[in-house]
Amino acid sequence: MQTNKNFPFLAAFSGMVSVQTGAAFAKTLFPVVGSEGVAALRLGISAVILCVVFRPWTLRQHEVSWRALTLYGVVLALMNMLIYQAFSYIPVSIAISIEVMGPLTVAVLTSRQKIDLLWILLSALGMFLLAAGDIHNAIDIQGIAYSLAAALFWGIYVIIGKRVSGGGGRSVAAGMMVAALITVPLGTAQAGVSLLMPAVIFTGVCVALLSSMLPFLLDIYAMRWLPSRVFGVLLSGSPAVSALAGWIILHEKLSLTQCGGISSVMAACAGCSLFARRRTQH
C-alpha cells in the first residue's frame, strides 16, 4: 500500500496544530471551571468517545497488562492536570516549551553520542531565557514548577506508553478511562454544576476533539509512514505553534528574550530527534 509522500507530513503538522490550538481553547475555560475542571472535561469526554470507538474491554491480559494500563492512565492524568495548572500561571507557549524537555531528556538519556551535550546546553539556555522573561514581566515560579513536573510525567509517559502500545487504540482508550476516573471527581469538586453549562460542555467537546481524538488519529497515521526521528523533528515545532495559538486565541505576548528561549528549546528537540541513537543499537 502506498500513500502520497506529503500526506504523513501534513498529518503530523496538523496533529501538532490541533493539540496546541486545543490547549489555548482549554485555557479560555479556566475562569469558569478552573484547571481541574478543564482536565476533567478533556479526559472525561475523550474517555467516553475513545471507549465507544475502540472498546478497551476487549483487551486480553496476554496483549497488555492491566497493571501497566493503570499506571499509564495515572501518568496521563497527572501530566494533563499539571500542565493545565502551569497554564494558570504562565503563557501556554512557555509551559509547553518547558514540558517538551521531558521527552527530550528521555531521548538524551537513551543515547551515547557526545553531541547530546549540545542539546542539553541548548535546552538549559532555553530554560534560562524563558525564566528570565523581561524586566516588566518576570515569569511566575509556580508556573515553571508545574511545567517541570508535567515534563517529568511526559517523560515517564513516553516510557510507559511503549509498554502498552501493543493494544493500539484500545490501550489509549483504557488509559484515558483510568485518567478520567482520577480527574473527573477532582474537576467536579472544583467546578461543580458549572461543568454542566451548555457553553462549557460545547467548548469541552472541542478541546477533547482538538487535544485528544483528532491528533491521536493523525499521529497514528503519520507515525506509520514517517521515520521516528523525522516525526520527532516535526513535533519540535510545538512551542512555536503554541506561541502562535496563545497570541491569536488568548492574546498572550512574549518578550524577545522568551522567544529566544522557545527557539533554543525547539533547536534542542530537533537536534536530539535527528541525531540521538538508542543504547540498544550499540
Side-chain angles (χ1 to χ4, degrees), residues 17-102:
V17 172
S18 180
V19 168
Q20 304 310 328
T21 302
F25 274 119
K27 190 170 179 176
T28 64
L29 288 176
F30 282 17
V32 183
V33 297
S35 59
E36 287 91 347
V38 175
L41 283 169
R42 172 185 172 177
L43 296 177
I45 294 172
S46 297
V48 171
I49 297 174
L50 288 171
C51 284
V52 169
V53 174
F54 292 106
R55 299 182 300 167
W57 51 87
T58 61
L59 275 170
R60 298 292 181 264
Q61 183 67 27
H62 70 274
E63 293 179 289
V64 180
S65 165
W66 276 95
R67 180 179 299 179
L69 283 171
T70 301
L71 179 59
Y72 172 70
V74 171
V75 171
L76 184 63
L78 290 172
M79 183 176 66
N80 279 274
M81 288 191 296
L82 288 166
I83 196 60
Y84 280 161
Q85 283 284 358
F87 290 169
S88 300
Y89 296 95
I90 58 179
V92 293
S93 56
I94 296 179
I96 294 297
S97 297
I98 296 173
E99 190 190 26
V100 297
M101 292 182 188

Side-chain angles (χ1 to χ4, degrees), residues 128-260:
F128 172 77
L129 294 175
L130 287 169
D134 58 39
I135 58 175
H136 302 294
N137 292 302
I139 191 169
D140 194 302
I141 191 66
Q142 293 183 81
I144 294 178
Y146 280 121
S147 298
L148 287 172
L152 170 65
F153 282 101
W154 197 359
I156 297 173
Y157 172 82
V158 171
I159 298 171
I160 298 299
K162 293 175 183 177
R163 293 174 53 187
V164 301
S165 60
R170 292 176 298 167
S171 290
V172 176
M176 198 72 71
M177 182 172 59
V178 173
L181 290 174
I182 297 172
T183 56
V184 170
L186 293 174
T188 302
Q190 181 189 57
V193 295
S194 296
L195 290 172
L196 301 178
M197 295 170 58
V200 170
I201 293 177
F202 175 77
T203 306
V205 170
C206 292
V207 169
L209 291 173
L210 288 171
S211 299
S212 298
M213 282 297 298
L214 184 59
F216 168 73
L217 295 174
L218 290 171
D219 286 352
I220 287 295
Y221 172 77
M223 286 187 289
R224 179 182 178 185
W225 299 100
L226 294 177
S228 59
R229 65 182 182 86
V230 175
F231 186 75
V233 172
L234 289 171
L235 291 186
S236 69
S238 294
V241 176
S242 66
L244 184 60
W247 175 61
I248 294 174
I249 298 171
L250 301 170
H251 309 293
E252 294 180 342
K253 297 180 180 179
L254 301 173
S255 68
L256 288 176
T257 300
Q258 291 167 332
C259 289

